[in-house]
Amino acid sequence: MGEESGQGVEIMKEESFNDKIVNPPPPPPPPAAVAPPHFVLIHGIGGGAWCWYKIKCLMENCGYKVSCLDLKGCGMDHTDPNTILSFHDYNKPLLDFLSSLHDNEQVINYLTLFTHTHVCVILVGHSAGGLSLSDAIHKFGKKKIKLAVFIAGTMLRSGFVTDQDIKDGVPDLSGFGELNEVFDIGFGLGQDHPPTTLMVKKELQRKIIYQLCPQEDSTLAAMLLRPGPIQALTTAQFKDTEDKDKVPRIYIKTMQDNVIKPEQQEAMIKKWPPSDVYILESDHSPFFSAPFLLFGLLVKAAVSFGC
């Protein structure tokens, strides 16, 4: 009996060992992978998604996800800019786009459970596109936005509230001539009402906006620029929220800028200090004049904040 009992123990041990080979315990879940950041690029007044064609190409060739939006009345959007009188209406394409995205927390939880990835949305705004970023920061905060990057941007915490805000954030092109000498002005509500649209005259665009850009890019811009809904932009004001300082911000200063001059950029930086400031020796349009340097700074910003 002792021998039979001993053989039984040996058989049980052998079966248990075989079970472990045939049915090994499940491996531990892999660590969450980091998906490439999703850059959302916002143009300035009169521009459009087309402004970013060089940056989009560089980013996508390196594996980043990129969305370039046309705000209302801009780019390929067919709305007459003279009819856009509120900033909310103008910025609605960006707000709708962000609303369509899952919240960061929900996406991270869902994807961590099933695909072991997480998403990082980086908003990038050029010139007046900075107002669009501020609006989005107030409305969505970190639920949607990991990082906001202002490129020669109008970076005002609450929009145009004071005379100083206007001085800091509105381009002063008086050095190039009187208002009607510099701009084509639209009066969609009639001559006895404030202007509804502005656009720098074609013959001055290269001198003011694109002085360091390749000739072919300034020619392209002259063909595609549209009058900007100035009344909507200059009335931009944002309700103060707790989220305004939760989203980290980076400011890229353009040191040879004729539109938002370096001293204006510096004033806005001091009033609402960002997490970091990068310096770029470019004109107002570095996506044309310094695309490789700008691309490098955007990647640096993403890496610096864990994207």
Side-chain angles (χ1 to χ4, degrees), residues 43-213:
H43 60 82
I45 184 171
W50 57 267
C51 295
W52 302 102
Y53 80 94
K54 288 184 176 181
I55 299 300
K56 181 178 173 67
C57 182
L58 288 169
M59 286 184 163
E60 289 183 340
N61 284 343
C62 292
Y64 296 106
K65 183 175 181 179
V66 184
S67 296
C68 304
L69 304 184
D70 286 324
L71 298 180
K72 196 164 184 180
C74 302
M76 297 183 69
D77 183 275
H78 295 299
T79 308
D80 179 356
N82 285 291
T83 67
I84 303 168
L85 305 178
S86 74
F87 187 79
H88 177 78
D89 193 24
Y90 172 70
N91 204 35
K92 194 171 185 296
L94 173 60
L95 303 182
D96 289 347
F97 180 83
L98 291 174
S99 294
S100 73
L101 302 177
H102 291 286
D103 290 354
N104 278 340
E105 293 86 351
Q106 293 174 350
V107 174
I108 291 170
N109 291 339
Y110 177 83
L111 293 178
T112 299
L113 286 173
F114 295 99
T115 64
H116 308 290
T117 61
H118 75 266
V119 176
C120 181
V121 174
I122 300 176
L123 287 189
V124 179
H126 171 248
S127 193
L131 292 167
S132 296
L133 266 58
S134 296
D135 188 26
I137 288 170
H138 281 288
K139 286 185 167 66
F140 295 105
K142 295 200 76 172
K143 287 183 179 179
K144 305 284 187 181
I145 307 162
K146 174 77 172 183
L147 175 65
V149 182
F150 295 73
I151 304 172
T154 304
M155 188 177 67
L156 300 170
R157 178 189 279 110
S158 302
F160 294 113
V161 178
T162 68
D163 289 342
Q164 188 62 46
D165 292 330
I166 295 172
K167 182 179 179 181
D168 295 338
V170 174
D172 177 9
L173 303 184
S174 58
F176 297 94
E178 298 295 326
L179 188 68
N180 61 351
E181 295 174 334
V182 175
F183 293 100
D184 290 323
I185 306 172
F187 292 90
L189 300 177
Q191 293 288 335
D192 54 343
H193 288 80
T196 48
T197 60
L198 287 180
M199 184 172 73
V200 174
K201 290 180 179 293
K202 286 188 183 295
E203 60 268 25
L204 293 175
Q205 287 173 7
R206 178 164 179 81
K207 183 177 182 180
I208 295 174
I209 312 172
Y210 308 111
Q211 80 269 20
L212 299 180
C213 297

Side-chain angles (χ1 to χ4, degrees), residues 212-288:
L212 299 180
C213 297
Q215 186 76 46
E216 58 267 29
D217 286 323
S218 59
T219 300
L220 175 69
M223 297 169 66
L224 296 178
L225 277 177
R226 295 176 60 185
I230 191 64
Q231 188 168 139
L233 284 161
T234 54
T235 57
Q237 294 186 4
F238 316 123
K239 185 178 179 181
D240 205 14
T241 65
E242 294 181 358
D243 290 325
K244 68 180 184 299
D245 292 316
K246 292 181 180 179
V247 175
R249 288 170 289 109
I250 285 179
Y251 199 98
I252 299 180
K253 288 181 67 176
T254 44
M255 301 306 292
Q256 300 186 52
D257 198 319
N258 290 329
V259 181
I260 305 291
K261 297 180 177 62
E263 54 268 29
Q264 290 179 285
Q265 298 179 43
E266 187 60 33
M268 290 186 284
I269 288 168
K270 287 181 178 178
K271 281 174 63 176
W272 193 21
S275 304
D276 207 346
V277 176
Y278 300 160
I279 304 298
L280 190 55
E281 289 294 336
S282 80
D283 57 15
H284 188 62
S285 304
F287 40 75
F288 290 158

